Amino acid sequence: MSSPEIQLTEQIWNSLKIAIIIIAALAPIIIIFLVFRFNRIIKRLNKEHLTNQRIIEKRIEVYDKIGPKLNDILCFYCYSGNWKEITPIDIIRLKKELDKDINIYTPLFSKDISKKYIDFIHLCFVSFSGWEHKEKIKSLYKIRQEHNVEWNDDWIQIFDTNNVTEAIKMKESYNELNEFFKKDLSL
């Protein structure tokens, strides 16, 4: 090899040595940066997971409060379960409690829950039916009158017997509402 070729080879090797030294110096810095970045991402994901877990826990708590009330309304209308023990006054009270609960906790659930709840309630009640804005129960009362030992004839005015909904439609609406609850509860 001639002298210019040796110099060229030495320059190339020197350039390679410099590049190797720079890469060797940058590698730990890059690794530290990536580790820091991944740790931030992992912390953010853990925080999101914890938040989602708390939301689901709160949704379950709310459903534990709402579910039995919805079931009592369904039992009352479908003449099943504990329907004989539930008075019309109880049903109106349950409806008001549910309205309040749904209005308070709607932000925790999907918009579909609110819509399905309204659909279900409209099958069960006539709301704002007069000057005094009293709800009426969309149901027949004669069977209830016969089976409820606490029956009070003043309750007859609480019923709207002209707009009675079929039990099958109520069950379908109730089941649809519960499907959306299950979806929001991640079940």
Side-chain angles (χ1 to χ4, degrees):
M1 272 197 203
S2 65
S3 178
E5 287 178 2
I6 293 176
Q7 283 182 336
L8 182 62
T9 305
E10 284 181 15
Q11 285 177 346
I12 293 173
W13 277 111
N14 286 339
S15 297
L16 285 174
K17 286 180 186 177
I18 292 172
I20 291 171
I21 291 171
I22 291 172
I23 291 172
L26 287 178
I29 295 171
I30 292 170
I31 290 171
I32 290 171
F33 172 77
L34 291 174
V35 166
F36 176 75
R37 184 79 173 132
F38 288 140
N39 279 339
R40 286 184 62 199
I41 291 170
I42 289 170
K43 284 179 184 177
R44 182 178 50 87
L45 290 174
N46 283 339
K47 184 178 176 184
E48 287 175 11
H49 176 72
L50 184 61
T51 300
N52 288 337
Q53 186 63 32
R54 286 182 181 157
I55 289 170
I56 289 173
E57 287 170 3
K58 185 64 178 180
R59 285 175 176 174
I60 290 170
E61 180 184 323
V62 170
Y63 184 76
D64 285 346
K65 183 177 180 180
I66 291 173
K69 294 174 186 178
L70 287 169
N71 186 65
D72 281 349
I73 288 176
L74 180 69
C75 288
F76 179 83
Y77 280 93
C78 295
Y79 302 97
S80 65
N82 63 343
W83 74 272
K84 292 177 186 177
E85 302 161 12
I86 304 170
T87 68
I89 301 301
D90 293 335
I91 287 300
I92 297 292
R93 180 185 45 76
L94 283 172
K95 189 240 186 233
K96 289 178 181 180
E97 289 173 9
L98 279 167
D99 286 348
K100 181 179 178 181
D101 292 340
I102 291 292
N103 286 329
I104 290 170
Y105 297 113
T106 292
L108 292 175
F109 293 96
S110 66
K111 292 177 184 176
D112 295 326
I113 294 282
S114 180
K115 182 188 177 319
K116 291 297 177 185
Y117 170 75
I118 290 168
D119 292 346
F120 176 70
I121 288 300
H122 282 295
L123 292 175
C124 302
F125 299 93
V126 176
S127 296
F128 309 113
S129 59
W131 180 255
E132 295 177 358
H133 302 295
K134 295 195 177 189
E135 287 89 5
K136 289 196 173 204
I137 299 169
K138 291 182 179 180
S139 180
L140 303 174
Y141 61 84
K142 292 217 184 268
I143 296 173
R144 298 176 200 296
Q145 196 174 26
E146 294 169 8
H147 288 80
N148 190 317
V149 292
E150 298 176 24
W151 184 263
N152 180 338
D153 282 339
D154 291 340
W155 294 344
I156 293 172
Q157 66 185 352
I158 299 173
F159 288 85
D160 177 357
T161 57
N162 298 323
N163 296 302
V164 177
T165 305
E166 296 174 25
I168 192 76
K169 287 183 181 176
M170 289 224 185
K171 287 181 183 178
E172 287 171 358
S173 180
Y174 175 83
N175 289 337
E176 287 174 12
L177 175 59
N178 272 325
E179 284 303 314
F180 281 99
F181 271 116
K182 282 170 49 177
K183 181 180 166 194
D184 279 6
L185 295 172
S186 301
L187 300 177

